[in-house]
Amino acid sequence: MTWFICRTCAVQYRSSEQPPPACIICDDERQYVGWQGQRWTTMEELAAEGLRTDVRDLEPGLTGIGTTPSLAIGQRALLVQTDHGNVLWDCPGFLDRAAVDRVRELGGLAGISASHPHFYGCIVEWSRTFGGAPIYLARADADWITRPDPAVSLWEDRVEVVPGVTLIQCGGHFAGSAVLHWSGGAAGRGVLLVGDTITVVNDRRYVSFMRSYPNLIPLPGAEVERIVARLDPVEFDRIYGGWWDRDVAEGAAEAVRASARRYAAWLDRMQSP
């Protein structure tokens, strides 16, 4: 039996003798099937192709884990380190001994989560490697879990994974799309890890909001307002997005509000006669 991984989104599936007939993630309108058709791989094949993890320290208490070369959507994981335990966020679809050893050096895992199904990656592999570390996935996105496991715990609204590290359900991109708030990050000013629940754009003074990024399907203005309102009680000065260097280094809370205002203003222009 093999745990197959989709080549396009790098989400891993439950064990089977043959590849699944389709990837439910890529068949959805928010993603896409690769132009060469549905293709599958395995962790072993990716390692044989020369893939390796890329581990970078981003600030005190935060480490990024990506892949070289980039795999599928290309996201990086983010490891938040606290005195109460470490939390891994947004797993890529590959891990190797170098990444495992580094995470062990940093104290292991107290919990694992992801912003949305596109970034589930090989989340169960991480959990099993670290003794069944709990996996927190949004209840609203339960139908998108492709590798069920006893470590998975479904949550909604908000949940504190360890003291000072809290999941917040924002919706938008997916019904369960979430962010992870780290109160101790940015020297105590607060950090938000967003995946692409809120995405950092090329002009890193701003962010944006979409139902589908690759297929350019926007969100209604009311949904964007609701996402921003979910963050009103939260203090944060920095955002880390889903990819290397997609970060807002300072003033991130105002960047989110300003971006929402800009988004709404352009929707109004488009709808005006």
Side-chain angles (χ1 to χ4, degrees):
M1 303 290 274
T2 302
W3 289 278
F4 288 98
I5 298 169
C6 174
R7 282 273 184 185
T8 302
C9 69
V11 171
Q12 190 179 52
Y13 278 67
R14 72 183 75 207
S15 63
S16 59
E17 292 184 359
Q18 299 295 326
C23 174
I24 62 170
I25 304 292
C26 292
D27 268 351
D28 179 65
E29 70 176 5
R30 285 162 285 200
Q31 181 52 15
Y32 59 93
V33 176
W35 292 358
Q36 295 174 309
Q38 179 62 55
R39 298 188 300 149
W40 299 95
T41 186
T42 65
M43 199 76 69
E44 295 75 18
E45 285 182 0
L46 291 171
E49 291 168 8
L51 208 71
R52 60 182 176 83
T53 53
D54 178 9
V55 181
R56 308 180 192 179
D57 293 327
L58 301 176
E59 68 168 81
L62 187 68
T63 299
I65 305 171
T67 63
T68 300
S70 179
L71 173 64
I73 298 172
Q75 76 269 19
R76 62 179 175 188
L78 293 165
L79 180 71
V80 179
Q81 301 133 53
T82 80
D83 293 338
H84 304 284
N86 301 340
V87 179
L88 185 67
W89 174 250
D90 277 350
C91 298
F94 178 77
L95 79 162
D96 60 13
R97 179 53 54 188
V100 171
D101 288 347
R102 181 59 177 147
V103 173
R104 289 197 195 284
E105 290 173 4
L106 293 170
L109 296 179
I112 310 171
S113 191
S115 56
H116 69 296
H118 292 161
F119 289 177
Y120 286 176
C122 61
I123 198 166
V124 173
E125 290 282 346
W126 276 102
S127 171
R128 292 191 175 187
T129 300
F130 286 87
I135 301 169
Y136 298 86
L137 298 179
R139 185 179 301 277
D141 293 338
D143 289 345
W144 299 99
I145 297 172
T146 58
R147 186 178 172 183
D149 192 83
V152 173
S153 176
L154 300 179
W155 67 279
E156 52 194 346
D157 189 30
R158 64 179 61 212
V159 64
E160 190 173 56
V161 182
V162 299
V165 182
T166 302
L167 286 161
I168 303 168
Q169 182 179 350
C170 296
H173 185 34
F174 275 76
S177 283
V179 298
L180 188 70
H181 180 244
W182 172 32
S183 62
R189 300 189 306 278
V191 160
L192 209 61
L193 313 183
V194 298
D196 60 5
T197 299
I198 298 166
T199 200
V200 180
V201 296
N202 286 334
D203 181 348
R204 294 183 297 180
R205 298 173 299 168
Y206 293 94
V207 299
S208 196
F209 320 83
M210 297 284 276
R211 174 170 172 80
S212 170
Y213 293 95
N215 299 325
L216 302 178
I217 305 173
L219 285 171
E223 187 72 5
V224 172
E225 290 176 6
R226 193 179 66 79
I227 292 169
V228 175
R230 292 286 292 157
L231 301 177
D232 279 346
V234 179
E235 293 185 4
F236 61 97
D237 189 52
R238 183 171 297 159
I239 281 176
Y240 287 93
W243 294 268
W244 296 123
D245 303 319
R246 291 283 184 155
D247 312 316
V248 180
E250 59 184 3
E254 177 54 31
V256 170
R257 292 189 290 266
S259 299
R261 291 193 296 268
R262 181 173 73 170
Y263 189 102
W266 277 102
L267 281 183
D268 287 344
R269 288 193 192 187
M270 292 168 62
Q271 294 166 0
S272 297

